[in-house]
Amino acid sequence: MALPAEKERYTFADVLAWPDDERAELIDGEAVMMAPPPSSTHQEISVELTRQLANYLEGKRCKVYHAPFAVRLFEKDGDSPEDVDTMVEPDISIVCDQSKIDKHGCKGAPDMVTEILSPSTQRHDRLVKLSLYQRAGVREYWIVSPDEQTVQVFLLRDGSLQLHEVYDRQGVAKVNVLDGCFIELSKVFR
């Protein structure tokens, strides 16, 4: 898939102008084409995590959003789409400050982000996105491995996302940014 026009630096304004079938994330102005559509296993995991989170959040101020959902990690009030050069599409985002939500997605860091690994995104999710989420101040980051049937939970401590817990398919994972929220992983990894 080719980008509409080759540029040295892309912005969110470019993303908004692309056809709907052109999907890319922006990392410091560089367009990173999205992987092929996710597998059925990836989708099942995403749907079940979103379902459990949405059930818990019903009637609460925090909301859950699933991909495709544009997160402009470093956008500030007053920025125009031409000013924004970093935009990612996490598999699942939880946002508690609803003033961050607009018609295009989320401006600023979500409270929690989940990425479900696929063979083509593992390195990107474990290194590049971990670093971006840390820099942006995401408080909790989950990396879900369908192959290993594990969830790695990273928490922001002293400006660094640090591994806090690893859960297997039989575990009940605590969502640290949501008081009293637990995810039954036996339902996530069927």
Side-chain angles (χ1 to χ4, degrees), residues 140-153:
E140 185 165 354
Y141 178 36
W142 283 24
I143 296 178
V144 179
S145 174
D147 291 341
E148 297 171 6
Q149 296 192 331
T150 60
V151 174
Q152 291 180 302
V153 176

Side-chain angles (χ1 to χ4, degrees), residues 47-60 62-64 94 178 180-184 187:
V47 166
E48 180 58 27
L49 282 170
T50 302
R51 184 192 68 75
Q52 288 189 45
L53 289 164
N55 284 349
Y56 174 82
L57 291 172
E58 187 174 355
K60 296 180 174 69
C62 300
K63 304 277 184 235
V64 62
I94 292 177
L178 300 174
C181 181
F182 297 90
I183 302 297
E184 294 179 63
K187 293 180 178 178

Side-chain angles (χ1 to χ4, degrees), residues 114-176:
T114 299
E115 295 287 1
I116 302 165
L117 300 177
S118 64
S120 63
T121 66
Q122 279 199 50
R123 185 179 190 294
H124 188 66
D125 292 341
R126 290 186 189 276
L127 299 174
V128 175
K129 285 193 168 177
L130 179 99
S131 175
L132 281 174
Y133 296 148
Q134 178 175 287
R135 226 175 39 172
V138 171
R139 294 170 37 215
E140 185 165 354
Y141 178 36
W142 283 24
I143 296 178
V144 179
S145 174
D147 291 341
E148 297 171 6
Q149 296 192 331
T150 60
V151 174
Q152 291 180 302
V153 176
F154 294 83
L155 297 180
L156 190 66
R157 292 192 189 114
D158 301 320
S160 174
L161 277 170
Q162 299 174 14
L163 184 61
H164 174 72
E165 188 78 60
V166 178
Y167 296 97
D168 65 19
R169 69 177 312 278
Q170 298 304 320
V172 177
K174 180 178 195 260
V175 180
N176 295 274

Side-chain angles (χ1 to χ4, degrees), residues 7-69:
K7 294 173 77 170
E8 280 191 31
R9 181 181 175 273
Y10 290 96
T11 68
F12 190 57
D14 295 309
V15 173
L16 294 174
W18 291 340
D20 288 343
D21 63 345
E22 298 280 343
R23 290 193 43 234
E25 294 182 318
L26 298 178
I27 311 292
D28 297 322
E30 180 184 337
V32 179
M33 298 311 294
M34 299 293 286
S39 69
S40 56
T41 300
H42 181 287
Q43 289 296 83
E44 290 166 5
I45 289 170
S46 179
V47 166
E48 180 58 27
L49 282 170
T50 302
R51 184 192 68 75
Q52 288 189 45
L53 289 164
N55 284 349
Y56 174 82
L57 291 172
E58 187 174 355
K60 296 180 174 69
R61 70 180 175 91
C62 300
K63 304 277 184 235
V64 62
Y65 301 90
H66 60 84
F69 181 69

Side-chain angles (χ1 to χ4, degrees), residues 69-132:
F69 181 69
V71 175
R72 290 108 57 208
L73 288 168
F74 306 106
E75 182 174 334
K76 299 175 203 62
D77 285 338
D79 281 352
S80 71
E82 292 79 16
D83 299 322
V84 177
D85 69 357
T86 299
M87 184 277 302
V88 293
E89 289 188 10
D91 288 307
I92 302 170
S93 302
I94 292 177
V95 181
C96 295
D97 179 355
Q98 293 304 298
S99 72
K100 291 182 177 184
I101 302 300
D102 64 15
K103 67 181 182 177
H104 299 300
C106 180
K107 56 182 181 199
D111 294 271
M112 177 183 169
V113 167
T114 299
E115 295 287 1
I116 302 165
L117 300 177
S118 64
S120 63
T121 66
Q122 279 199 50
R123 185 179 190 294
H124 188 66
D125 292 341
R126 290 186 189 276
L127 299 174
V128 175
K129 285 193 168 177
L130 179 99
S131 175
L132 281 174

